[in-house]
Amino acid sequence: MPIDATEPYDDQNIFAKILRDEIPSRRVYEDAYAIAFHDIAPVAPTHILVIPRGAYVSWDDFSARASDVEIAGFVRAVGTVARAAGLVVPGYRLLANAGPHGGQEVPHLHVHLFAGQPLGPMLAGAPAA
Ligand code: 5GP
């Protein structure tokens, strides 16, 4: 069920529990600002989620309230994860869903990193490039 990206942060959301190690995940990276782990239901050969450690609901919330240091740390973490996975040359796609039209379901900001094959058109139903 897509969330309202303006709702208050719920510290019982699934990614908050992953951050606190209350539920398992296949972590591939962590630093002071972010962690990254494999999506439980991958839609590409490589499908990694990168999330900030801070309690932010959505891209809207993060871009409005996070400090410059947190924003820089998170953006650098996304790049580091992609480089460490060897994805720069074949290429990859980043996606952050926000709110009902974006289809965001987990109310903790996350960036999807998709890779491992040509990823086709940007949106479902769009003509192939
Ligand atoms: P959204 O639709 O919010 O942008 O994406 C949420 C993503 O989180 C989905 O791709 C979904 O498969 C993934 N996900 C949901 N629950 C879990 C979980 O418990 N563990 C992991 N690793 N991924 C999850």
Side-chain angles (χ1 to χ4, degrees):
M1 182 74 170
I3 64 137
D4 173 352
T6 63
E7 68 191 38
Y9 187 79
D10 170 12
D11 69 3
Q12 295 305 307
N13 79 75
I14 199 84
F15 291 171
K17 292 179 179 178
I18 285 175
L19 266 167
R20 295 193 296 264
D21 278 326
E22 291 171 8
I23 64 166
S25 66
R26 290 170 55 215
R27 279 194 198 199
V28 295
Y29 179 77
E30 58 188 302
D31 65 21
Y33 303 103
I35 71 168
F37 50 91
H38 289 283
D39 196 289
I40 202 167
V43 297
T46 298
H47 184 174
I48 294 169
L49 300 168
V50 191
I51 73 173
R53 284 195 186 270
Y56 300 101
V57 174
S58 64
W59 191 273
D60 178 69
D61 188 25
F62 186 66
S63 61
R65 291 198 303 111
S67 69
D68 291 357
V69 168
E70 287 176 295
I71 291 170
F74 180 64
V75 171
R76 288 198 189 283
V78 174
T80 298
V81 168
R83 280 191 296 278
L87 302 177
V88 174
V89 171
Y92 57 93
R93 178 172 295 160
L94 302 177
L95 176 76
N97 295 317
H101 279 197
Q104 182 180 0
E105 299 206 332
V106 178
H108 182 114
L109 171 63
H110 47 284
V111 169
H112 297 257
L113 193 164
F114 304 112
Q117 65 182 32
L119 294 166
M122 206 151 26
L123 293 175

